[in-house]
Amino acid sequence: MELVISRKILLSGMQTVQRAVAARTTLPILSNILMEARDGILKLFATDLEIRIECEVPAEVKENGIITVPAKLLQELVNNFSSEEMYLKTDEEKQILSISCGEGNYRLNTLTAEEYPSLPEVKKGINLKFSSSLLKDMIKSTIFAAAPSTESRVVLTGVFFEVKEDKLTLVATNAHRLVVKIGEIKKVKEGISKILPTKALQEVSRLIQDEEEVDILISEKQVKFTLKNSLIYSRCIEGQFPPYQQVIPSSIPKITWKVKSADILSSTKRVSSIAKEDTNVVRLRTIDNKLSIEALTQDVGFGQETVNIEKKGEDIEIAFNAEYLLDFLQKAESEILVFELNAPETATVIKPQDEENYFYVIMPIKPV
Amino acid sequence: MELVISRKILLSGMQTVQRAVAARTTLPILSNILMEARDGILKLFATDLEIRIECEVPAEVKENGIITVPAKLLQELVNNFSSEEMYLKTDEEKQILSISCGEGNYRLNTLTAEEYPSLPEVKKGINLKFSSSLLKDMIKSTIFAAAPSTESRVVLTGVFFEVKEDKLTLVATNAHRLVVKIGEIKKVKEGISKILPTKALQEVSRLIQDEEEVDILISEKQVKFTLKNSLIYSRCIEGQFPPYQQVIPSSIPKITWKVKSADILSSTKRVSSIAKEDTNVVRLRTIDNKLSIEALTQDVGFGQETVNIEKKGEDIEIAFNAEYLLDFLQKAESEILVFELNAPETATVIKPQDEENYFYVIMPIKPV
């Protein structure tokens, strides 16, 4: 491999793939980035065996070739060089990559590309095309609600991704709260539903730039996102997503509150300063058109805030995990939020006013 | 205690003292902040038993009193309140501080002020007065070179602080490198030399604002800095500072290099990306007016940069700890640096060109 490349271009390519470089790994080659130079193009690859990101950047390729190099070290160097033109050449026998930039000369130890693990290609599958701004928005609106990667029920660590007729639906839950976002798409002939890892979706959302559309190829076990400057591969999560429809209250709610987002967000945040010192529980209590948000802990004391609401139905007292409540209050980009409640022990729905395609279902905490 | 106070004023007071709140402590009250309200003034105190910071802020005091409150929790609340006027009242019997701000009401558990440990007052001592910009600059130019707090030779964890006639001298060393900064002051009658903890100096440097002068009172074992809005107390470090004068080469150097700061800084930074993967050693080698900076490691490879220098004397090869070299290159605010060398195994001096009052002495690493 021998090539001349712009430092800025190489840096942007490395930044594209670096999140797929394995952070902690028992397989040293996964800390490397795979570089393949061919006919005016340098391809960069990184994988942590869960997802893979690929990216192509233009280069003046003098000799085709393929090699793997320590990702973090190379990125640090490329980031710190002060000249703009870089020269790269491999010595395949000695397994060395020589780099020259400005007055600097580096020889990095490499590992051969043959040892680099490959994810199987996504060949056949259903091909979809979505508006990238829609997809990015839908991902951001939902991934926060999935269970953390430490969760034993693996299906909850992903986002349920369903395409049906003219609707794309994303659902995420950690079994205590659930978020649903529905987007309108061009009608598809064949629907599909899969559970996709949050890491892959996070990278798709991060790497969407100014392209208009994102191509998605979904096979039985894998998914491929084609962006303007990158490809993201990921395994699908196997298993059955919980029947989330059953959790969503279907009858007309007995009680509704309309509340200013900014008011309830800032009040809940302050009260949660108290709540988090203990079991992280906040109690919500209404008296006419006042909502009182309260936390009481043994150790640090008591906090209480009052927020004006527009209420229909009876007064109620209900308790939530403060963190789960805040998660949605921070995401919902709407001036007014609507709370739909039935009883202190049943699920509450929160949604932006005048929005039917985005809502949050949160289970209350039983009073002790 | 009962008072009304501006939220912004209370917040700025808390930010002033918070660095002295003990981060990890076996004495729970050290996580608290001491508040004393008296005659239109709220005094705030925090200590980790090594340093103490005090600060006064104006308040509408309705009833004098004194109490201690969890510092982190109170600061979080004060930071997040959206109204600007706060009402605070203690219930001494129940040991509770009630806070009202906007629509929020909080009751925080407190600990009585009697349990709060006090540092002995600095009463008698030598009184000094320095320009605050001079002091701030001198602290920033030196503290980085002291040994970390984990160092067993405690005297090296502080900064040597010497006042003699019309000179203030600050010296810091970790036994492998040494920095000296001399400032001109009004001639004093009585000189003094002490070792001051870096934490106290760091706080002085942080809290100096637009005041012109800083008052310093130094007693046998303690020091007090009086700033415009705060007081900083600290113990002095006991013991003998190493005879640093002996380390500073006194003869005319055999070799000098003049080099652009920006060039040697960026080159050393890049080469250190390689060096830090191993023993962190960089070798500097001259050939006529070229300086080559090199690092060779078993694991990752080799890096080499060339920098133009203006040289007097013979060519030489010398090795340094890359981190210690970078520490000074990053601090020295001068376009040109001068290196003064004698031999590969003796101390090298680095100083900004045309600057006699600031220099760095770095011990080379013996070639293996």
Side-chain angles (χ1 to χ4, degrees), chain A residues 86-114:
Chain A
M86 293 181 62
Y87 172 78
L88 280 71
K89 182 171 168 55
T90 51
D91 179 331
E92 265 116 55
E93 209 171 293
K94 292 186 184 156
Q95 294 202 27
I96 284 202
L97 172 69
S98 296
I99 304 171
S100 301
C101 184
E103 297 301 313
N105 297 293
Y106 293 80
R107 295 197 301 272
L108 306 187
N109 297 342
T110 63
L111 291 168
T112 61
E114 286 120 56

Side-chain angles (χ1 to χ4, degrees), chain A residues 76 105 109 273 299 304-305, chain B residues 76 105-106 109 273 299 304:
Chain A
E76 196 174 304
N105 297 293
N109 297 342
S273 297
D299 278 359
Q304 184 273 332
E305 295 271 350
Chain B
E76 196 174 304
N105 297 294
Y106 293 79
N109 298 343
S273 298
D299 278 0
Q304 186 273 332

Side-chain angles (χ1 to χ4, degrees), chain A residues 12 38 85 105 261 311 349:
Chain A
S12 88
R38 192 170 304 280
E85 194 177 87
N105 297 293
S261 303
K311 197 190 65 174
V349 175

Side-chain angles (χ1 to χ4, degrees), chain A residues 259-260 262-264 266-268 270-271 285 287 289-295 302-309, chain B residues 7 77 80-87 99-107:
Chain A
V259 56
K260 275 193 190 156
D263 288 356
I264 191 164
S266 70
S267 300
T268 308
R270 288 190 293 270
V271 173
R285 218 159 37 92
I287 305 168
N289 283 333
K290 299 277 181 192
L291 169 65
S292 174
I293 307 168
E294 298 166 13
F302 170 81
Q304 184 273 332
E305 295 271 350
T306 306
V307 173
N308 290 322
I309 58 170
Chain B
R7 187 186 71 85
L77 285 173
N80 285 327
F81 280 128
S82 15
S83 297
E84 279 313 319
E85 194 178 87
M86 293 182 62
Y87 172 78
I99 304 171
S100 301
C101 185
E103 298 301 314
N105 297 294
Y106 293 79
R107 293 197 302 270

